Amino acid sequence: MGVRPPADNSDEPDVIEFGIAALDARLSDVDIEYPATPREVQDAAGHITVPFDASGHSMTVAEALEETNATEYDNEQELLNDLHPIFERKREATRNSILSQLRALVPF
């Protein structure tokens, strides 16, 4: 997923990536040989921090892998498909927090 940032500063990126889109971009820099176990993925990419919403809340790949039940990933797409609901749950939980609801009421 991604959203466009405010247009007030041309030095900012065109799109803020978060969730699976951000993870997919970060995995391109990591060498994982598939099929891979969650442990092998964690060893290669567990340290990577991935934002799961546009506000910048994030979690590591290792934290996301702890919430899966998979025993092996045949390819990167299978890994992304398995982690997608985890990032979505985190995003929804953050969006529904009291602090997030209060921020939505403030016009700045």
Side-chain angles (χ1 to χ4, degrees):
M1 291 195 166
V3 295
R4 290 200 176 278
D8 61 345
N9 187 347
S10 63
D11 293 338
E12 295 293 319
D14 289 338
V15 175
I16 299 170
E17 290 182 326
F18 58 90
I20 293 303
L23 176 59
D24 189 24
R26 286 164 174 80
L27 285 179
S28 64
D29 297 332
V30 179
D31 186 29
I32 301 173
E33 292 202 24
Y34 296 95
T37 65
R39 181 67 185 163
E40 292 169 332
V41 173
Q42 184 173 345
D43 289 346
H47 64 283
I48 296 174
T49 302
V50 181
F52 56 79
D53 66 9
S55 297
H57 296 102
S58 60
M59 67 187 301
T60 64
V61 172
E63 292 170 325
L65 286 168
E66 288 175 6
E67 297 186 35
T68 68
N69 295 322
T71 57
E72 186 173 83
Y73 299 107
D74 290 330
N75 53 51
E76 185 174 309
Q77 188 60 52
E78 195 174 289
L79 171 64
L80 294 173
N81 290 344
D82 193 38
L83 296 181
H84 181 265
I86 295 164
F87 285 103
E88 282 299 304
R89 277 194 305 271
K90 286 287 197 179
R91 185 180 64 80
E92 284 294 318
T94 303
R95 188 179 88 184
N96 292 331
S97 73
I98 293 173
L99 184 57
S100 293
Q101 291 176 17
L102 290 173
R103 282 185 184 154
L105 296 174
V106 180
F108 52 86

